[in-house]
Amino acid sequence: MRTNEANEFFALMMRHWNTIADAFFKDDVHLPLLLEDEHGFASGNDWANGFMRVVKMRPGGWSKLLNDEENGGCLIPTMMLHHEHDKDPKMRPGPISLEQREDVIAHMTAGIAYAYRYFRAGREAHGQDIVTTEPRRSTPKIGRNEPCPCGSGKKYKKCCGKTAEN
């Protein structure tokens, strides 16, 4: 990947992260982006697998919540979807019906927001990383008439900027 492409990719990732962080900061609902299969079915497994990969990358940071008897349950729906097709049958939660899956995904979404508030409260209680203002943009603002960083070749205002303005 060339440097410009890598920078554009990183900028898009940071923009996505900032959108999520802003929603959590404002106590808004953040709905995870779920991949659909060829039949339009969104199982949530891909999202849960990605989330748990991140958790495994920083186990020390997540261990406090995972081991917390009172609050650790907020991650159970995510772990259910993560382990649904596990190679080890003992790790699988059992069959999840379509109706149950909708509930699991809804609880997963709420659980992730709960986890954010859990860690935020812990940081504030210890006087660490207290966020007193909204998250700031880490990349330069893209002009409406500049090429879209997604690589489509369109102007930003006609591509990704269209959704940002709504």
Side-chain angles (χ1 to χ4, degrees):
M1 188 180 285
R2 294 182 309 207
T3 303
N4 285 345
E5 290 172 339
N7 287 338
E8 289 173 7
F9 176 77
F10 184 71
L12 286 171
M13 292 295 295
M14 289 306 301
R15 189 171 84 197
H16 182 64
W17 164 249
N18 286 333
T19 300
I20 295 168
D22 185 53
F24 283 144
F25 179 81
K26 293 177 180 176
D27 288 328
D28 288 343
V29 174
H30 167 71
L31 300 175
L33 186 62
L34 304 180
L35 300 177
E36 294 181 349
D37 66 13
E38 63 275 1
H39 306 290
F41 177 70
S43 68
N45 299 99
D46 291 328
W47 192 93
N49 291 337
F51 185 86
M52 293 308 294
R53 281 183 75 181
V54 171
V55 169
K56 289 176 185 176
M57 290 171 67
R58 307 271 323 249
W62 286 92
S63 62
K64 182 178 179 187
L65 176 59
L66 291 169
N67 295 318
D68 187 317
E69 295 274 333
E70 188 176 327
N71 299 293
C74 69
L75 296 179
I76 289 175
T78 304
M79 289 189 275
M80 286 176 65
L81 293 177
H82 171 66
H83 290 292
E84 184 177 20
H85 304 291
D86 201 292
K87 292 178 185 177
D88 182 357
K90 294 176 188 171
M91 295 299 293
R92 297 181 199 151
I96 302 173
S97 70
L98 290 176
E99 295 80 22
Q100 289 171 324
R101 184 171 305 280
E102 288 179 13
D103 286 343
V104 169
I105 290 172
H107 285 93
M108 176 180 72
T109 301
I112 300 306
Y114 186 92
Y116 172 82
R117 289 191 299 273
Y118 173 87
F119 285 116
R120 183 175 176 184
R123 286 190 308 269
E124 290 173 351
H126 293 95
Q128 302 169 347
D129 299 327
I130 299 175
V131 179
T132 56
T133 60
E134 292 187 31
R136 296 185 185 247
R137 179 186 309 271
S138 64
T139 58
K141 185 173 181 174
I142 302 166
R144 292 174 29 84
N145 291 315
E146 292 180 35
C148 190
C150 76
S152 67
K154 297 179 183 179
K155 289 184 178 184
Y156 178 68
K157 69 181 177 184
K158 296 285 187 181
C159 191
C160 295
K162 184 186 292 187
T163 58
E165 293 171 0
N166 295 338

